[in-house]
């Protein structure tokens, strides 16, 4: 069980890194620092969007429209952090034998 918690934490960390890379790349594309006419950049960005879009979609339905600003990545990162805290506390309680 402890190993499963550690695996879940690693996967949450990887997911947060993917979201951060996607966010930075979207800013670079928005400010024309990176050219989307490059096949590698376009495919990489589309791949990141395919991974993150299912996470953002339900949050975008709930959040109000802020125009060009998209706060869904920030909400997903916040939820990932909360899940990581819960898993850390669960892990610590299992090691010490004390309840949460």
């Amino acid at each position: 069980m402890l190993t499963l918690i550690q695996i879940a934490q690693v996967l949450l960390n990887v997911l947060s890194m993917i979201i951060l890379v996607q966010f930075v790349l979207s800013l670079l594309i928005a400010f024309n620092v990176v050219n989307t006419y490059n096949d590698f950049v376009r495919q990489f960005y589309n791949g990141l969007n395919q991974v993150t879009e299912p996470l953002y979609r339900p949050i975008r339905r709930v959040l109000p429209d802020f125009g060009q600003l998209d706060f869904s990545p920030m909400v997903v990162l916040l939820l990932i952090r909360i899940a990581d805290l819960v898993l850390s506390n669960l892990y610590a309680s299992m090691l010490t034998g004390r309840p949460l």
Side-chain angles (χ1 to χ4, degrees), residues 22-61:
Q22 190 260 344
F23 174 73
V24 170
L25 187 58
S26 69
L27 285 177
L28 292 174
I29 289 172
F31 290 110
N32 288 325
V33 175
V34 175
N35 190 353
T36 56
Y37 293 115
N38 184 329
D39 283 338
F40 174 75
V41 172
R42 185 175 57 249
Q43 289 176 358
F44 186 67
Y45 185 65
N46 288 338
L48 290 176
N49 280 337
Q50 287 179 355
V51 170
T52 58
E53 187 61 32
L55 299 171
Y56 298 158
R57 196 175 305 121
I59 294 169
R60 286 182 182 145
R61 283 189 217 129

Side-chain angles (χ1 to χ4, degrees), residues 1-96:
M1 184 68 166
L2 296 176
T3 305
L4 292 176
I5 292 173
Q6 291 172 328
I7 290 171
Q9 286 178 316
V10 168
L11 292 175
L12 287 174
N13 287 334
V14 168
L15 183 60
S16 63
M17 287 296 142
I18 289 172
I19 291 171
L20 288 173
V21 167
Q22 190 260 344
F23 174 73
V24 170
L25 187 58
S26 69
L27 285 177
L28 292 174
I29 289 172
F31 290 110
N32 288 325
V33 175
V34 175
N35 190 353
T36 56
Y37 293 115
N38 184 329
D39 283 338
F40 174 75
V41 172
R42 185 175 57 249
Q43 289 176 358
F44 186 67
Y45 185 65
N46 288 338
L48 290 176
N49 280 337
Q50 287 179 355
V51 170
T52 58
E53 187 61 32
L55 299 171
Y56 298 158
R57 196 175 305 121
I59 294 169
R60 286 182 182 145
R61 283 189 217 129
V62 176
L63 286 178
D65 187 21
F66 292 105
Q68 295 291 336
L69 296 176
D70 185 14
F71 289 109
S72 56
M74 184 174 60
V75 173
V76 171
L77 286 174
L78 182 66
L79 293 173
I80 288 172
R81 180 66 183 134
I82 290 169
D84 189 43
L85 284 172
V86 169
L87 288 173
S88 294
N89 286 336
L90 181 63
Y91 184 75
S93 71
M94 291 178 88
L95 284 177
T96 61

